[in-house]
Amino acid sequence: MGLLSIGKFAKASGLSVSTLRRLHATGELVPCHITDSGTRYYSQDQLDSLTTPERATRMGDKPAVGYCRVSTRAQKDDLETQVSNVEAYMAARGYQYSIIQDIGSGINYDKQGLHELLRLINERQVSRVVVLYRDRLVRFGFELIEYLCRLNDVTLEVIDHTAHSREQELSDDLIQIVTVFANRLYGARSKRTRTLIGEVKRHADGQEDTTAADQRTGDAVS
């Protein structure tokens, strides 16, 4: 088998490119061949020596972190299932990992777990972030966190790219959005605010006819 470029070696070994460069600088893992232009190449024997997670960890690779979130405490069973799936995914790939669990809306960014995750990314303490679905990370702004990961040489992995949002969770997020904007427009104690939020809640719960609810919502904000 021929020599492996640093990119192919990183993918096959589970070590990040930045880690390989650091190991080269410290002399812990020196490429078997370096071209005049500075391109690094590694051998199959070197790859074979790094096939276990324990060996990779000793060589300085950073752990992965799984992020799992549900909207309410009533979804405890869903959270446990989510954690189990993420752990199984990371264990099957030999990742050294930890799990961050969060409870709160996907449009609420003031959550302890999310803050901890962003800190780990920003301080480059993890090699990758693993989530089951995109919307388990955040409802809006996924691309921004993805960009932050790229800036800090952190891989963001989504296990299942299928759209996954329970109807109730979407309804709760919609109510929260309407509440924020209604409070800003009319004030938190305004009758218009209470009426508008009440109509949105009833519409989301399916308690009234859609057409009638839309008409009253229009009257409330006109």
Side-chain angles (χ1 to χ4, degrees):
M1 182 177 179
L3 299 179
L4 301 172
S5 67
I6 190 171
K8 291 182 178 179
F9 190 84
K11 184 176 181 180
S13 66
L15 295 171
S16 66
V17 170
S18 62
T19 295
L20 290 173
R21 289 171 178 160
R22 184 173 68 252
L23 295 176
H24 179 198
T26 60
E28 295 177 77
L29 181 60
V30 179
C32 68
H33 177 67
I34 303 175
T35 66
D36 292 339
S37 61
T39 302
R40 300 171 175 86
Y41 287 94
Y42 297 82
S43 68
Q44 182 62 43
D45 288 341
Q46 288 177 304
L47 177 61
D48 292 341
S49 71
L50 293 172
T51 53
T52 65
E54 293 78 14
R55 174 64 173 168
T57 299
R58 288 199 300 271
M59 294 301 290
D61 199 23
K62 301 171 187 176
V65 59
Y67 180 78
C68 303
R69 179 192 66 81
V70 292
S71 293
T72 67
R73 296 190 181 279
Q75 297 171 303
K76 181 180 178 181
D77 290 344
D78 290 343
L79 182 59
E80 291 177 353
T81 299
Q82 196 178 143
V83 169
S84 178
N85 288 334
V86 172
E87 285 186 330
Y89 174 90
M90 293 193 291
R93 285 156 179 77
Y95 298 165
Q96 300 297 308
Y97 65 86
S98 61
I99 295 287
I100 293 177
Q101 300 182 38
D102 236 351
I103 298 177
S105 169
I107 62 174
N108 174 17
Y109 302 101
D110 189 20
K111 297 190 293 288
Q112 183 177 353
L114 182 60
H115 289 175
E116 174 64 11
L117 178 66
L118 294 176
R119 183 187 68 79
L120 292 174
I121 294 171
N122 196 49
E123 294 180 359
R124 301 190 175 192
Q125 294 188 23
V126 293
S127 61
R128 66 192 71 237
V129 174
V130 179
V131 294
L132 186 57
Y133 301 101
R134 284 172 60 104
D135 66 5
R136 295 304 86 194
L137 186 55
V138 287
R139 185 76 70 190
F140 306 113
F142 179 90
E143 291 78 8
L144 184 60
I145 296 180
E146 189 175 36
Y147 177 65
L148 180 64
C149 286
R150 287 201 302 270
L151 287 180
N152 290 285
D153 195 26
V154 175
T155 302
L156 179 53
E157 296 183 20
V158 179
I159 298 175
D160 190 340
H161 288 272
T162 305
H164 176 268
S165 291
R166 289 193 168 190
E167 184 175 338
Q168 184 59 50
E169 285 195 8
L170 287 173
S171 297
D172 291 342
D173 288 342
L174 175 61
I175 291 170
Q176 186 171 344
I177 292 172
V178 171
T179 300
V180 170
F181 280 96
N183 286 342
R184 290 180 179 179
L185 286 172
Y186 309 122
R189 298 183 179 181
S190 167
K191 181 179 179 180
R192 283 186 172 184
T193 297
R194 294 195 301 271
T195 301
L196 179 58
I197 294 173
E199 293 294 345
V200 172
K201 287 182 177 179
R202 281 191 289 273
H203 182 71
D205 292 339
Q207 295 178 355
E208 297 193 12
D209 178 76
T210 301
T211 302
D214 288 344
Q215 179 62 47
R216 280 193 296 275
T217 301
D219 294 341
V221 298
S222 61

